[in-house]
Amino acid sequence: MKVLLVSPPRRIWPYIDEQDNFLLPQWLACLAAVLRPVPGLELHVLDCMPEQVGWSSLERRIRRLRPDLVASGENHALFASEVVKLMRLAKAIDPEIVTVAGGAHFTNTYQQYLPHEPIDFIVRGEGEETLRELVLALDGGGLAEGRGVDGVAYLGNEGVTCTPPRQLVADLDSLPMPAYDLLPLERYGKGRFLFSPGGTTIHHGRGCTGRCTFCVWWRQMAHREARCDGTGSPERLTPHWRTKSVDRTLAEMEILHCRYGKRCLIFVDPTFNIDAQWNAEFAARLLGKGWDLSWFAFMRADLILRDEKLGIFSELVRSGLTHVCVGVERLDDAQLRRWRKPAASSDQYLEVFSLLRHKYPQVFRQATFIVGTPDETPASLRAQLAYARRLGADYPAFHPVTPFPGTELYDEAVASGRLEIRDFDQFDMMTAMMGTDQMDREEMEQALVALNKAYVGPRWLLRGLLSRHRYRRDMYTWFLLVSGRIFLDALRQRLNPLAPERYTSTFEPPWYQS
């Protein structure tokens, strides 16, 4: 049986393009590792982005290879249409090709896609064991056998059907090492400044202990109970967090650093710092390695403060932590509670960013904010901006409220009639999805542009460029160079270089259709 795992061509953001950085898709490496040992399986893996494989080239490859199964996945609503385009392409080449989609987006939208798109199976939730069993079943008995595998959804004679939910992998160390050797590691992280030198992704934990109403990530790796079906009967989801051992995590890091020369590792865990004991052991063991590397992590503010009091956070920084992203989201504590943000308060965020500024100035400080809640006003936006300035983040990412399918926020937005945009191609976390009680959607979009312009100015840029710390200087240099390139490209094309969409809207790279 021939299986082709594909991350298809996709549009890209101006600030993360092929001239700066592509990040290794962890799902591709992890699924390939599980499928590779299957007896009689001929496995092919293709990440189109770093290899600059456009749609025409991809079609030629599929025609030449003639796979029995094509699988892809997507966690982001924004890029789901390109996975669907891949499924359509595979079926157009050969209707007998079995098409499989997975990831957080398709897990939560299976009822929307299966009746209308040429997708044979959607893998729901964690994918390794489900996809492996599905491939074995299809090889042994075709579609009928595949429909008996736990953790999938499909369109049958009785409509859209889900099989019983797949149990999560209890021991992440039991999974094989990600198949980094099947991917073009030399093509990832080539940027001179962004996540430099040699950036690539890694993860040690899956899931989360929180259940934020706007977040789809904890749901993808949650415990699932009961049975779903085409009537929309809900599953019961319970947040669940698991981690690889420190030994296993360091073994993966050694491969990436020592074998492939990667010196900037981006941990994509939704929350890196949940377990204090794990953090302490990780820092101590990593320091003992003596590797020359830096690393990035998404961290919870209250857990940073916990680890600082325990003397752990300083060791994490000594071990190479150079970039922290904290989900601050709002100044309003009442809104944080409504969103069920765990142990979050505006004073706590101020304390964390003060700690980073004064004790750990070498660490790049990134914060995310969510604006456009129903009660948002021009005055509350000004307060958000003032709060962000008090925090002193190196980069404050102001995002409009984006209700992703599967979240409580999405259900509320649909039920209230507030959600004005349903096209997933616009779910880019830069486009306002809806207005507020006092501002319409267009006003919110203008306010987003104004927020970013007000924060990101010459003084902000100069302060970063003059930093004594290389990583922080590099990040600001990267921002300056990319912004300048976008500006000059617009002039060459006789476009308005000051138009906000030049800097925020995704675009097709030159080789996208080739």
Side-chain angles (χ1 to χ4, degrees), residues 173-486:
D173 283 11
S174 68
L175 294 171
M177 196 68 69
Y180 295 127
D181 58 304
L182 297 183
L183 290 159
L185 264 290
E186 73 284 355
R187 294 178 180 263
Y188 298 103
K190 295 176 66 176
R192 181 180 174 188
F193 298 104
L194 176 65
F195 302 137
S196 177
T200 192
T201 59
I202 189 173
H203 73 279
H204 80 83
R206 294 184 180 182
C208 191
T209 57
R211 51 168 75 231
C212 298
T213 63
F214 57 80
C215 180
V216 76
W217 303 111
W218 74 263
R219 303 177 66 88
Q220 178 68 357
M221 294 293 176
H223 273 309
R224 298 177 181 274
E225 300 176 64
R227 187 183 179 93
C228 63
D229 55 38
T231 65
S233 59
E235 293 175 304
R236 291 187 297 275
L237 302 183
T238 305
H240 188 62
W241 178 78
R242 298 155 291 155
T243 181
K244 300 170 186 174
S245 67
V246 172
D247 278 341
R248 168 57 186 263
T249 303
L250 290 173
E252 289 190 31
M253 294 174 70
E254 184 168 11
I255 291 173
L256 292 170
H257 178 57
C258 299
R259 185 182 304 174
Y260 294 104
K262 302 303 179 183
R263 291 171 53 199
C264 184
L265 303 184
I266 300 101
F267 279 90
V268 295
D269 309 50
T271 306
F272 176 93
N273 58 336
I274 287 176
D275 185 337
Q277 183 176 348
W278 192 97
N279 298 342
E281 183 185 351
F282 174 76
R285 296 277 302 283
L286 182 53
L287 280 166
K289 295 289 185 180
W291 293 334
D292 177 22
L293 56 77
S294 58
W295 52 279
F296 164 111
F298 298 95
M299 290 190 169
R300 250 175 59 183
D302 60 315
L303 304 181
I304 291 176
L305 295 176
R306 176 205 65 193
D307 286 353
E308 172 65 14
K309 291 176 182 176
L310 295 171
I312 297 170
F313 190 75
S314 61
E315 296 303 287
L316 290 171
V317 174
R318 283 211 311 132
S319 77
L321 174 61
T322 52
H323 191 147
V324 170
C325 184
V326 177
V328 175
E329 320 310 6
R330 298 292 295 182
L331 167 63
D332 181 4
D333 289 351
Q335 181 62 67
L336 294 175
R337 288 192 295 271
R338 286 193 291 272
W339 280 338
R340 293 204 300 268
K341 280 278 290 182
S345 73
S346 55
D347 288 344
Q348 187 181 76
Y349 293 125
L350 287 169
E351 184 179 356
V352 164
F353 277 83
S354 176
L355 172 71
L356 293 173
R357 286 198 319 275
H358 295 109
K359 187 173 179 180
Y360 305 107
Q362 69 271 41
V363 176
F364 189 86
R365 308 176 298 272
Q366 185 171 341
T368 60
F369 298 88
I370 299 176
V371 298
T373 55
D375 59 351
E376 195 80 88
T377 66
S380 67
L381 288 171
R382 289 192 294 271
Q384 283 282 101
L385 176 61
Y387 179 57
R389 285 173 169 157
R390 287 181 66 196
L391 290 175
D394 286 300
Y395 179 63
F398 295 101
H399 296 297
V401 173
T402 305
F404 291 105
T407 64
E408 292 179 41
L409 192 64
Y410 181 84
D411 295 338
E412 292 168 3
V414 171
S416 66
R418 285 185 176 273
L419 187 59
E420 298 179 41
I421 293 181
R422 303 293 184 95
D423 179 2
F424 293 140
D425 284 355
Q426 297 187 59
F427 278 51
D428 55 10
M429 299 183 71
M430 298 300 294
T431 301
M433 300 283 103
M434 46 198 173
T436 75
D437 293 339
Q438 294 193 30
M439 306 171 69
D440 63 28
R441 196 181 69 79
E442 289 73 20
E443 289 172 328
M444 267 308 308
E445 289 208 342
Q446 294 168 6
L448 275 166
V449 173
L451 275 175
N452 285 290
K453 282 184 175 180
Y455 196 100
V456 179
R459 290 181 61 188
W460 165 86
L461 183 60
L462 185 62
R463 185 170 61 247
L465 292 174
L466 296 178
S467 171
R468 293 185 295 110
H469 305 286
R470 184 195 62 80
Y471 185 90
R472 295 184 71 244
R473 284 198 310 274
D474 283 355
M475 291 297 291
Y476 280 87
T477 302
W478 162 77
F479 180 85
L480 175 63
L481 292 176
V482 177
S483 298
R485 188 180 68 232
I486 296 170

